Amino acid sequence: MKILLLFGLLTVASRDVSVNHWRRFPEDFLFGCGTAAHQVEGAWHLDGKGENIWDHLTHFTIGKIKDKSNAKIAADSYHNYMRDVEIMRELGLDAYRFSLSWARILPTGFNNPVNPAGIAYYNNLIDEMLTYNITPIITLYHWDLPQKLQDLGGFVNPLIVNWFEDYARIAFMNFGNRVKHWITFNEPREICHDGYGSANKAPLLNSAAFGTYLCAKHLLLAHANAYHAYKNDFQRHQGGQCGITISVHWFEPATNQTEDVFAAELTKQAEWGLYAEPIFSAKGGFPKDFSKRVAKKSKDQGYSKSRLPEFNKQEKHWVRGSYDFFGVNHYTAWKISATEYKYYVEVPSIRHDLDVGFYQPKDWPSSASSWLKRAPNSLFNAIMDLHKRYPNVIFYITENGWSTTATHVLTDDKRVAYHRAALENVLDLLEAGVNVKGYMAWSMIDSFEWMEGYTERFGLYHVDFNSPARTRTPRKSAFVYKHIVKNRHIDPNYEPKTKIMTIDKGYYLLT
């Protein structure tokens, strides 16, 4: 009996020790969620809002969106912003990352006229968040360029540099007294390669030879103009910080062979280094190896000079160091081969310039998105790589998420596993001395998923897009994320006490 009692006491003690020694997130670490204006707001033409490139694409180009849908209403956050803030409170969030609709604030894209209804909407959202001590993190541009500016060339027109600065100044003037975290652009690669160098996203320009590169240079200069405007004219009295968010996936060599190792490095330079190196590296300018590759390809193709435009000395200095933090969007990883799995549609193009093969092992767990698989330790590997290149930079993980199909099932165990694994990687990064200041789960609620319409869902909360009220209902992942946020640690055995439900024909059915 004594032995059994002693064993029981030791068992309890060992549990207490394990609980007390859970790795913890710092108290000042920002846990949040994110959304983007065009994906959730709806109200596409109400109260003076102008047309943007996604409005134009979905309304006038037939058959481009997978389910033929659009974001005219989406999750209707324009009318449901108070419910959205209530969700933030339910989750216990420290922060919420959202974007401004440029066309809602400036209907023509230019700094006159300013739409007072657009300013009022964002003021109401910000004030409601601050009532409950939720930190607003604002992205100035999340892919929804005013159509009037696209008609003039958009990001291949060098005047975009000044147009964007004008817009940024209006945002700083109207919201900067309460907003202390500013992101200029979300995912330059997706803006430039997908929108201008291919036909994967609006505006579907598909100028494969030049579009990506012209867009990259002009976008980086626009970012620098907005950053310096904030630093010189607003930061001193507003006390905030300004950075940029870049999609950084992990690219690892398929083998240890020298050619595959170099192919993986070249891929990093082309995929995210094109946008990060000019800002965060000590030397500035576009990545060296990839720049040489494009110059050689351009010469071989008969061009008089490289299709990748250079920065002049003044521009390079202007862009270099234009950051207070580095926002990282991370989702997945690829294996890179110098010889196999090659595929490119257009010649010349950035993919042909890069000339490497991409693949993902079949045993990596799959999501509803063809490109998104759960790769082992990919978040740790990606940000550790950035840290080694840019050792004194502050990082925020501004997107990280998992997609499911458009189902009414709320038990999303794969999403739970994905976020837990990613957050374990964040703890690993913190232990390794990397300055990671926050994590924004993508996304807080279901939304319009660009070319995939509503066929893929990233939300911690399910949105019923068939309901006029756009009812929001928490998935299992919402309860698990709430538990992590509240307790500042990850309990791999935690199961929500609330019974998870399935939504069927508008009713909540206990499973």
Side-chain angles (χ1 to χ4, degrees):
M1 181 65 72
K2 289 182 179 179
I3 293 174
L4 290 173
L5 179 60
L6 178 60
F7 178 77
L9 290 172
L10 287 173
T11 302
V12 172
S14 66
R15 285 177 185 161
D16 289 342
V17 168
S18 66
V19 169
N20 291 334
H21 285 78
W22 266 324
R23 298 190 299 171
R24 295 184 61 82
F25 292 91
E27 291 303 317
D28 63 348
F29 186 88
L30 289 180
F31 278 108
C33 286
T35 61
H38 186 76
Q39 292 182 275
V40 299
E41 282 183 3
W44 79 277
H45 69 313
L46 296 183
D47 297 337
K49 177 186 169 293
E51 183 186 43
N52 67 46
I53 56 175
W54 282 93
D55 295 326
H56 189 80
L57 169 63
T58 56
H59 301 167
F60 299 107
T61 307
I62 305 300
K64 293 296 183 180
I65 306 303
K66 188 172 184 178
D67 59 0
K68 300 180 175 58
S69 64
N70 57 55
K72 288 183 177 181
I73 302 175
D76 201 17
S77 286
Y78 189 75
H79 297 108
N80 289 307
Y81 74 88
M82 294 187 73
R83 171 61 182 134
D84 288 346
V85 176
E86 187 177 53
I87 288 172
M88 300 172 209
R89 295 169 61 199
E90 290 170 3
L91 291 169
L93 300 185
D94 304 310
Y96 176 57
R97 178 192 172 213
F98 63 99
S99 72
L100 306 179
S101 165
W102 189 339
R104 194 177 296 284
I105 294 172
L106 303 176
T108 66
F110 296 101
N111 62 354
N112 183 48
V114 178
N115 179 22
I119 298 294
Y121 168 67
Y122 293 114
N123 274 331
N124 290 337
L125 173 58
I126 292 165
D127 290 344
E128 184 71 8
M129 290 170 57
L130 292 175
T131 299
Y132 300 102
N133 298 315
I134 300 165
T135 298
I137 300 175
I138 284 185
T139 304
L140 290 170
Y141 184 81
H142 197 130
W143 303 1
D144 51 352
L145 190 71
Q147 183 61 36
K148 294 288 187 182
L149 299 186
Q150 186 58 48
D151 292 341
L152 298 173
F155 283 93
V156 297
N157 186 335
L159 292 177
I160 194 73
V161 177
N162 298 321
W163 300 338
F164 183 73
E165 180 187 346
D166 290 343
Y167 160 56
R169 284 181 175 274
I170 288 172
F172 298 150
M173 285 188 291
N174 282 277
F175 312 122
N177 62 328
R178 290 152 293 156
V179 175
K180 308 306 175 186
H181 297 75
W182 293 96
I183 296 167
T184 54
F185 289 99
N186 178 77
E187 298 185 341
R189 178 217 172 263
E190 284 67 23
I191 296 167
C192 294
H193 175 260
D194 288 355
Y196 289 83
S198 71
N200 294 330
K201 290 183 174 63
L204 308 184
L205 191 65
N206 202 26
S207 176
F210 292 96
T212 300
Y213 301 139
L214 289 173
C215 172
K217 180 177 180 179
H218 299 154
L219 183 150
L220 286 164
L221 290 169
H223 157 79
N225 269 30
Y227 171 82
H228 288 294
Y230 186 74
K231 182 177 181 180
N232 295 332
D233 298 336
F234 298 93
Q235 194 173 54
R236 183 185 305 176
H237 60 274
Q238 291 185 354
Q241 51 188 294
C242 184
I244 189 170
T245 280
I246 300 172
S247 57
V248 182
H249 303 303
W250 176 238
F251 303 104
E252 63 182 43
T255 72
N256 292 328
Q257 297 297 315
T258 302
E259 58 268 27
D260 285 347
V261 172
F262 180 70
E265 171 58 27
L266 205 63
T267 303
K268 294 173 187 176
Q269 293 185 19
E271 289 286 310
W272 55 258
L274 199 64
Y275 312 98
E277 281 287 298
I279 298 171
F280 297 99
S281 70
K283 293 183 179 180
F286 288 124
K288 183 179 178 181
D289 295 324
F290 185 67
S291 295
K292 288 182 178 179
R293 173 68 65 90
V294 179
K296 184 180 185 305
K297 291 265 189 175
S298 299
K299 182 178 180 181
D300 293 345
Q301 291 156 356
Y303 292 96
S304 59
K305 56 184 177 181
S306 177
R307 288 176 286 104
L308 176 61
E310 296 180 356
F311 292 104
N312 64 36
K313 186 175 181 179
Q314 182 180 2
E315 291 170 337
K316 185 184 291 187
H317 177 76
W318 185 243
V319 174
R320 186 175 67 242
S322 57
Y323 69 91
D324 294 321
F325 61 86
F326 189 148
V328 176
N329 288 358
H330 175 83
Y331 287 89
T332 192
W334 277 269
K335 301 272 190 177
I336 305 300
S337 171
T339 57
E340 299 181 89
Y341 304 101
K342 293 183 180 181
Y343 175 76
Y344 28 77
V345 177
E346 301 284 349
V347 179
S349 65
I350 187 171
R351 280 297 172 89
H352 183 256
D353 292 337
L354 180 56
D355 196 22
V356 303
F358 293 69
Y359 75 96
Q360 294 173 310
K362 293 181 180 180
D363 61 345
W364 289 357
S366 299
S367 71
S369 306
S370 61
W371 55 272
L372 176 52
K373 297 180 183 294
R374 179 156 65 90
N377 296 314
S378 64
L379 179 58
F380 177 86
N381 291 333
I383 295 186
M384 182 57 73
D385 187 30
L386 293 176
H387 173 66
K388 290 176 180 177
R389 295 168 192 262
Y390 318 124
N392 298 314
V393 170
I394 294 170
F395 296 100
Y396 287 88
I397 299 163
T398 43
E399 282 186 31
N400 182 246
W402 186 260
S403 65
T404 55
T405 57
T407 175
H408 294 322
V409 176
L410 300 177
T411 307
D412 52 346
D413 287 320
K414 282 190 174 182
R415 181 177 286 115
V416 169
Y418 180 91
H419 281 294
R420 279 176 171 161
L423 286 166
E424 290 287 0
N425 274 196
V426 175
L427 288 169
D428 294 338
L429 289 164
L430 292 169
E431 288 183 354
V434 182
N435 196 357
V436 183
K437 301 292 288 183
Y439 175 92
M440 306 294 126
W442 190 268
S443 57
M444 189 174 77
I445 59 176
D446 287 341
S447 59
F448 175 76
E449 287 301 329
W450 311 110
M451 303 301 278
E452 305 305 317
Y454 299 100
T455 64
E456 297 175 6
R457 309 292 179 90
F458 280 84
L460 299 181
Y461 276 63
H462 171 277
V463 175
D464 184 354
F465 292 106
N466 294 317
S467 164
R470 295 305 196 262
T471 305
R472 287 104 156 101
T473 307
R475 293 187 169 100
K476 179 179 179 179
S477 56
F479 293 103
V480 171
Y481 191 53
K482 176 178 181 175
H483 186 267
I484 294 170
V485 173
K486 179 180 179 180
N487 294 286
R488 300 273 148 177
H489 68 244
I490 304 164
D491 179 356
N493 299 314
Y494 170 73
E495 287 288 328
K497 293 181 180 178
T498 303
K499 291 184 178 180
I500 307 303
M501 298 173 289
T502 299
I503 300 174
D504 183 30
K505 298 179 182 178
Y507 297 93
Y508 302 134
L509 305 177
L510 296 179
T511 58

